[in-house]
Amino acid sequence: MEEFIRFIFIAIAILYIVRAILRWAIPALFQSMVNKAQQQQQQTNYSNRPEQPTGRIKVDYVPEKTDKKGHFTDKAGDFVDYEEVK
């Protein structure tokens, strides 16, 4: 019986020690992984960005001009007439 109690005591002590070590080690491990990922992301962002002279604007899309002013397209949605009741 004495050996069983000693085993339980040692097992609990080992569990507390491992738990304390993991509380310190896991956040440090994840922090280093996050820092590496951020550095890699910054390097790819800076290397893939094309060099553009300052003061210039590049327009990728120009919408088509319509002849009718104040014309609502079907994209505006359905409009329902209503009558206010007092």
Side-chain angles (χ1 to χ4, degrees):
M1 187 68 173
E2 184 178 315
E3 293 175 6
F4 180 70
I5 293 174
R6 180 181 289 166
F7 171 76
I8 296 294
F9 179 72
I10 291 173
I12 291 173
I14 289 173
L15 286 174
Y16 277 119
I17 291 170
V18 168
R19 185 173 156 197
I21 290 172
L22 289 178
R23 280 188 182 178
W24 173 80
I26 289 177
L29 177 68
F30 282 121
Q31 186 66 34
S32 67
M33 289 173 47
V34 167
N35 288 341
K36 283 182 183 180
Q38 285 177 345
Q39 287 176 356
Q40 288 176 353
Q41 185 66 32
Q42 287 176 353
Q43 287 174 355
T44 57
N45 283 345
Y46 289 130
S47 65
N48 290 342
R49 185 174 56 178
E51 296 283 331
Q52 290 186 354
T54 57
R56 296 216 163 218
I57 298 174
K58 180 181 177 185
V59 178
D60 290 333
Y61 172 74
V62 178
E64 296 178 10
K65 293 187 177 184
T66 58
D67 295 336
K68 300 178 183 177
K69 291 187 178 182
H71 179 262
F72 291 107
T73 63
D74 290 336
K75 294 179 185 176
D78 294 331
F79 294 98
V80 178
D81 292 333
Y82 70 94
E83 189 174 314
E84 187 173 336
V85 179
K86 290 186 179 183

